Amino acid sequence: MEAGLPANSPRLTRPNSKRPETGIIHLGLGAFYRAHGAVYIEEAMQKSGGDWGIIGVSLMRPDQRDALAPQDFAYTPVELGPEGETARVIGVLNGVLVARENPAAVLDAMSAESVKIVSLTVTEKGYCHEPSSGKLNQSHPDIVHDLANPEKPTSAIGFLVQALEKRRTAGLRPFTVLCCDNLPENGKVVRGVVLEFAGLISAELRDWIAAEGAFPSTMVDRIVPATKPEDITTLTAKTGTYDASPVMHEPFRQWVVEDVFVDGARPDLGAVGVQLVENVTPFEHMKLRCLNGTHSSLAYLGYLAGHETISDTVADPVFATFCKALWNTEITPGLHAPKGVSLADYTSALFARYSNPAIRHRTWQIAMDGSQKLPQRILGTITENLAANRSIKGLALAVAAWMRYVGGVDEKGEAIDVRDPLAARLKTLSDAAASSKEKVTALLSVREIFPATLAENPTFTSALMESYESLATKGARKTIEELQA
Ligand code: CS2
């Protein structure tokens, strides 16, 4: 019996005995996709039919497959509202493959004729691109490997290109590549890196993908903290059935998708509330800057101040005022709201979402991979504000908090478990510098994150240095308090 499994609880079973045929392969089967895209797809099939069963692919680890296989890939999304929770079981997954174990099986699945869409949630770093420029990082170890061994890829990009090549040589249509990660113009980014990679293999392949492929941009939104062992125990006690891998999510959800699919083949997304639009950019900017921008700001500053979750952080009045000021004075003034959307309503709804005490979203979880997140979440707004002479002091403080965070020591002198592809390099840079000023200068030299024009802007650098010094001497909470005075 597995740890935490209450005695006599039978394993979860599939709610639907008849499986739809597989129409979608999803790369990066994390909690977010299982609580967001997969739920929409299940509902779209219930409403309008279609063969849109999903095979999930874990690129590296077998955990999801091992947890889900004994329950025939059924699982429970649990909605955590401020007033209680609702759970239901879904059976949209037809299987889970582990790419590291068997890349050929993944390529075969992606090349099946029934497959029309390959979607991705591989996180920002999964695109092996340079966050500040959007270009493929050709010296990334996975890219170097995949170019040398195209039949046995390790990266999402390697899989996409090789599977498209298999389809092309088999005379099949390409699949639509549906990026569901928090990147601005995410369809364009993935198209760019795919074409660059394909061009290094064959010009013919690159031209075919460019002419026949489709890479709609999307905006995805739902807060989905990592599932904790106690979530599993509580759910088992409540339902009497053991699900080894439920996903916990907030009630809110939004999915905005550019309606450009290969041969128009897609589930009936419009029937279940997905917004199908011509241009996703205003939605993406609004979400990345208002939500993810403040999420990251609250994560670094909140973590330094000793707050465990986002709801704990915004329950602290100093942080609540700070967050609202970020929206009102630094983030929304430069945004073009999507048609019919009020930014004031959007941000006040966001604040209510952050305050939901049932969502235990750890500041540490959001703080992960900051080097990949800062450019699109915070630095874009800072760059525009500098050009327009708007304030940057709150966002510069957030960047300084990230600099403190990657230094690896918290305000009590304890080590921080920094998770970031650049963690070692960032720590070395920070450790080698003595003063606050030198640390800021050293970290600003990382060009993958800070373009030269921004790193050399005197208003930005002096705001950073001042903020960093204050964080180091007075701590995060006091610094924010003084900022508001
Ligand atoms: C968060 C996001 O972990 C993070 O970096 O900011 O996962 C956030 O919860 C989602 O984008 C909400 O849609």
Side-chain angles (χ1 to χ4, degrees):
M1 189 184 292
E2 275 145 272
L5 173 57
N8 306 323
S9 304
R11 193 69 179 245
L12 185 74
T13 51
R14 215 176 162 80
N16 47 338
S17 51
K18 198 174 158 287
R19 286 160 194 264
E21 198 176 344
T22 299
I24 299 174
I25 307 293
H26 184 79
L27 306 184
L29 190 70
F32 177 77
Y33 180 72
R34 293 201 291 126
H36 184 266
V39 176
Y40 276 108
I41 306 286
E42 159 117 344
E43 289 175 9
M45 276 194 292
Q46 277 165 359
K47 269 229 153 105
S48 312
D51 277 316
W52 298 107
I54 302 168
I55 288 183
V57 176
S58 295
L59 287 171
M60 313 235 260
R61 292 151 52 121
D63 316 27
Q64 282 302 324
R65 193 258 331 267
D66 295 349
L68 292 167
Q71 50 200 56
D72 205 5
F73 306 102
Y75 64 92
T76 322
V78 182
E79 182 167 303
L80 302 173
E83 274 106 42
E85 58 185 69
T86 46
R88 69 190 165 126
V89 180
I90 71 171
V92 70
L93 281 183
N94 282 344
V96 179
L97 299 172
V98 181
R100 277 286 146 98
E101 284 176 7
N102 192 349
V106 176
L107 289 171
D108 285 347
M110 292 169 83
S111 326
E113 193 168 4
S114 69
V115 167
K116 310 289 181 209
I117 296 172
V118 174
S119 52
L120 302 96
T121 46
V122 292
T123 79
E124 294 85 347
K125 63 177 179 285
Y127 294 89
C128 305
H129 71 308
E130 225 182 61
S132 61
S133 69
K135 292 227 167 345
L136 181 70
N137 175 1
Q138 290 187 21
S139 53
H140 190 295
D142 291 350
I143 297 299
V144 173
H145 171 276
D146 293 358
L147 285 167
N149 307 277
E151 306 275 334
K152 287 190 185 146
T154 51
S155 70
I157 303 306
F159 275 104
L160 288 173
V161 173
Q162 184 61 18
L164 285 164
E165 172 64 347
K166 283 184 71 147
R167 295 181 79 96
R168 185 179 74 95
T169 49
L172 295 176
R173 299 287 290 145
F175 43 69
T176 296
V177 178
L178 191 65
C179 176
C180 300
D181 276 298
N182 285 316
L183 296 166
E185 309 196 298
N186 55 11
K188 261 197 200 147
V189 170
V190 66
R191 182 176 191 273
V193 287
V194 161
L195 292 181
E196 215 178 312
F197 186 105
L200 296 169
I201 294 178
S202 115
E204 228 182 318
L205 171 63
R206 185 201 53 217
D207 294 348
W208 180 74
I209 299 173
E212 305 295 334
F215 298 80
S217 283
T218 68
M219 180 270 250
V220 292
D221 191 7
R222 173 164 262 181
I223 293 176
V224 186
T227 304
K228 302 167 193 62
E230 56 270 30
D231 296 329
I232 300 177
T233 323
T234 313
L235 184 67
T236 313
K238 209 166 261 178
T239 59
T241 309
Y242 174 58
D243 178 347
S245 193
V247 283
M248 323 305 287
H249 63 80
E250 64 168 341
F252 182 90
R253 66 176 184 178
Q254 189 175 13
W255 198 2
V256 188
V257 178
E258 269 169 16
D259 199 6
V260 281
F261 286 73
V262 174
D263 305 325
R266 60 162 170 77
D268 190 3
L269 298 171
V272 290
V274 176
Q275 292 160 268
L276 294 154
V277 301
E278 240 173 66
N279 178 14
V280 108
T281 306
F283 292 94
E284 267 179 355
H285 275 186
M286 173 177 78
K287 193 259 170 172
L288 275 169
R289 293 181 178 196
C290 291
L291 192 160
N292 300 109
T294 54
H295 238 189
S296 289
S297 305
L298 294 170
Y300 297 116
L301 287 157
Y303 185 96
L304 291 175
H307 290 310
E308 198 192 335
T309 66
I310 290 294
S311 54
D312 294 344
T313 309
V314 296
D316 179 338
V318 169
F319 279 86
T321 310
F322 174 69
C323 180
K324 290 174 186 167
L326 281 183
W327 283 322
N328 295 338
T329 56
E330 300 189 28
I331 300 175
T332 60
L335 278 178
H336 299 287
K339 230 169 122 207
V341 175
S342 143
L343 292 174
D345 291 352
Y346 183 78
T347 54
S348 77
L350 257 184
F351 193 79
R353 291 169 62 194
Y354 287 178
S355 306
N356 179 351
I359 296 285
R360 309 281 306 152
H361 203 182
R362 292 176 67 193
T363 47
W364 176 81
Q365 189 190 347
I366 299 164
M368 264 183 229
D369 294 344
S371 68
Q372 315 294 303
K373 294 174 174 173
L374 288 188
Q376 61 276 18
R377 294 182 176 206
I378 296 180
L379 302 182
T381 310
I382 291 181
T383 306
E384 287 172 22
N385 285 9
L386 287 168
N389 253 326
R390 279 191 297 267
S391 167
I392 59 154
K393 59 182 187 178
L395 290 172
L397 173 59
V399 178
W402 168 80
M403 290 180 162
R404 283 276 293 160
Y405 186 91
V406 299
V409 182
D410 73 10
E411 290 179 4
K412 292 195 203 107
E414 277 162 30
I416 304 174
D417 178 8
V418 178
R419 303 280 175 95
D420 192 295
L422 303 187
R425 187 165 140 216
L426 297 170
K427 178 144 177 57
T428 306
L429 284 169
S430 175
D431 286 351
S435 65
S436 293
K437 278 191 179 169
E438 284 166 18
K439 286 185 195 288
V440 168
T441 309
L443 290 166
L444 277 174
S445 73
V446 182
R447 280 293 158 271
E448 296 96 310
I449 309 173
F450 301 100
T453 41
L454 180 62
E456 284 155 17
N457 180 294
T459 313
F460 182 49
T461 49
S462 65
L464 276 179
M465 287 170 181
E466 220 175 279
S467 298
Y468 191 103
E469 178 64 15
S470 176
L471 288 172
T473 53
K474 299 175 190 164
R477 197 170 188 282
K478 185 97 190 116
T479 301
I480 298 176
E481 225 168 10
E482 287 184 3
L483 193 78
Q484 284 155 14

Coordinates of all heavy atoms in Angstrom, one line a residue, residues 32 124 182 220-224 250 287 291-292 295-296 353 361 365-368 373 377, ligand 1:
F32 N -0.5 22.2 -14.0 CA -1.2 23.3 -14.6 C -2.0 22.8 -15.8 O -3.3 23.0 -15.9 CB -0.2 24.4 -15.1 CG -1.0 25.4 -15.8 CD1 -1.7 26.4 -15.1 CD2 -1.0 25.5 -17.2 CE1 -2.5 27.3 -15.8 CE2 -1.8 26.4 -17.9 CZ -2.5 27.4 -17.1
E124 N 9.0 28.1 -19.0 CA 9.7 29.1 -19.8 C 11.1 28.5 -20.3 O 11.5 28.7 -21.5 CB 10.0 30.4 -19.0 CG 8.8 31.2 -18.6 CD 8.1 30.7 -17.4 OE1 8.3 29.6 -16.9 OE2 7.2 31.4 -16.9
N182 N 3.6 30.7 -20.3 CA 3.5 32.1 -20.0 C 4.6 32.9 -20.6 O 5.5 33.5 -20.0 CB 3.6 32.3 -18.5 CG 2.3 32.0 -17.8 OD1 1.2 32.3 -18.2 ND2 2.5 31.2 -16.7
V220 N -3.0 31.8 -21.2 CA -3.6 30.8 -20.3 C -3.6 31.3 -18.9 O -2.7 32.0 -18.5 CB -2.8 29.4 -20.3 CG1 -2.9 28.7 -21.6 CG2 -1.3 29.6 -20.0
D221 N -4.6 31.0 -18.1 CA -4.6 31.5 -16.8 C -5.5 30.6 -15.9 O -6.7 30.4 -16.1 CB -5.2 32.9 -16.8 CG -5.0 33.6 -15.4 OD1 -4.4 33.0 -14.5 OD2 -5.6 34.7 -15.2
R222 N -4.9 30.1 -14.8 CA -5.5 29.5 -13.7 C -4.4 29.3 -12.6 O -3.3 28.8 -13.0 CB -6.2 28.1 -14.1 CG -6.7 27.4 -12.9 CD -7.7 26.3 -13.3 NE -9.0 26.7 -13.1 CZ -10.1 25.9 -13.4 NH1 -10.0 24.7 -13.9 NH2 -11.3 26.4 -13.2
I223 N -4.7 29.6 -11.4 CA -3.7 29.4 -10.4 C -3.8 27.9 -9.9 O -4.9 27.5 -9.4 CB -3.9 30.4 -9.3 CG1 -3.5 31.8 -9.8 CG2 -3.0 30.1 -8.1 CD1 -3.7 33.0 -8.9
V224 N -2.7 27.2 -10.0 CA -2.7 25.8 -9.7 C -1.4 25.5 -8.9 O -0.3 25.2 -9.5 CB -2.6 24.9 -11.0 CG1 -2.7 23.4 -10.7 CG2 -3.7 25.3 -12.0
E250 N -7.8 26.9 -8.4 CA -8.8 28.0 -8.1 C -10.0 27.9 -9.0 O -9.9 27.2 -10.1 CB -8.1 29.4 -8.2 CG -7.7 29.7 -9.6 CD -7.4 31.1 -9.9 OE1 -7.7 32.0 -9.1 OE2 -6.7 31.4 -10.9
K287 N -2.2 39.8 -18.9 CA -2.0 38.8 -17.9 C -0.6 38.6 -17.4 O -0.3 38.5 -16.2 CB -2.5 37.5 -18.5 CG -2.7 36.3 -17.5 CD -1.6 35.4 -17.5 CE -1.6 34.4 -16.4 NZ -0.6 33.3 -16.5
L291 N -0.7 39.8 -13.7 CA -0.7 38.7 -12.8 C 0.7 38.2 -12.5 O 1.2 38.3 -11.4 CB -1.6 37.5 -13.4 CG -1.9 36.4 -12.4 CD1 -3.1 35.6 -12.8 CD2 -0.7 35.5 -12.1
N292 N 1.4 37.7 -13.6 CA 2.7 37.1 -13.3 C 3.7 38.1 -12.8 O 4.6 37.8 -12.0 CB 3.2 36.4 -14.6 CG 2.2 35.3 -15.0 OD1 1.5 35.4 -16.0 ND2 2.1 34.2 -14.3
H295 N 2.9 38.5 -9.2 CA 3.1 37.2 -8.6 C 4.6 37.1 -8.3 O 5.0 36.7 -7.2 CB 2.8 36.1 -9.6 CG 1.8 35.1 -9.0 ND1 1.4 34.0 -9.7 CD2 1.0 35.1 -7.9 CE1 0.5 33.3 -9.0 NE2 0.2 34.0 -7.9
S296 N 5.5 37.4 -9.3 CA 6.9 37.3 -9.0 C 7.4 38.3 -8.0 O 8.2 38.0 -7.2 CB 7.7 37.4 -10.4 OG 7.5 36.3 -11.2
R353 N -8.4 36.9 -6.1 CA -7.9 35.5 -6.4 C -6.7 35.3 -5.5 O -6.5 34.2 -5.0 CB -7.5 35.4 -7.9 CG -8.7 35.4 -8.8 CD -8.3 35.6 -10.3 NE -7.5 34.5 -10.7 CZ -6.8 34.5 -11.9 NH1 -6.8 35.6 -12.6 NH2 -6.1 33.4 -12.2
H361 N -0.4 28.7 -2.4 CA 0.6 28.7 -3.5 C 1.8 29.3 -2.9 O 1.9 30.5 -2.6 CB 0.0 29.7 -4.6 CG 0.6 29.4 -5.9 ND1 0.3 30.2 -7.0 CD2 1.5 28.6 -6.4 CE1 1.0 29.8 -8.1 NE2 1.7 28.8 -7.7
Q365 N 7.6 28.4 -4.7 CA 7.3 27.8 -6.0 C 7.3 28.9 -7.1 O 7.9 28.6 -8.2 CB 5.9 27.1 -6.0 CG 5.7 26.3 -7.2 CD 4.3 25.7 -7.4 OE1 3.5 25.8 -6.4 NE2 4.0 25.2 -8.6
I366 N 6.7 30.0 -6.9 CA 6.7 31.0 -7.9 C 8.0 31.7 -8.2 O 8.4 32.1 -9.3 CB 5.6 32.1 -7.5 CG1 4.2 31.4 -7.4 CG2 5.6 33.2 -8.5 CD1 3.2 32.3 -6.6
A367 N 8.9 31.7 -7.1 CA 10.2 32.2 -7.2 C 11.2 31.4 -8.1 O 12.2 31.9 -8.6 CB 10.9 32.4 -5.8
M368 N 10.8 30.2 -8.4 CA 11.6 29.4 -9.3 C 11.8 30.0 -10.7 O 10.9 30.6 -11.2 CB 10.9 28.0 -9.5 CG 11.3 26.9 -8.6 SD 10.4 25.5 -9.2 CE 9.7 25.0 -7.6
K373 N 11.8 34.3 -16.2 CA 10.5 34.9 -16.1 C 10.6 36.4 -16.0 O 9.7 37.1 -16.5 CB 9.9 34.4 -14.8 CG 9.5 33.0 -14.7 CD 9.0 32.6 -13.4 CE 8.4 31.1 -13.3 NZ 8.1 30.7 -12.0
R377 N 7.8 39.4 -17.5 CA 6.9 39.7 -16.4 C 7.1 41.1 -15.9 O 6.2 41.8 -15.5 CB 7.1 38.7 -15.3 CG 6.7 37.3 -15.6 CD 6.8 36.4 -14.4 NE 6.3 35.1 -14.8 CZ 5.8 34.2 -14.0 NH1 5.8 34.5 -12.7 NH2 5.3 33.0 -14.4
Ligands
CS2_1 C1 3.1 31.7 -11.4 C2 2.2 31.1 -12.5 O1 4.5 29.9 -10.8 C3 4.4 31.0 -11.4 O2 5.4 31.6 -11.9 O3 3.2 33.0 -11.6 O4 2.2 29.7 -12.6 C4 0.7 31.5 -12.3 O5 0.1 30.9 -11.2 C5 -0.1 31.2 -13.5 O6 0.5 31.8 -14.7 C6 -1.6 31.7 -13.4 O7 -2.2 31.6 -14.6

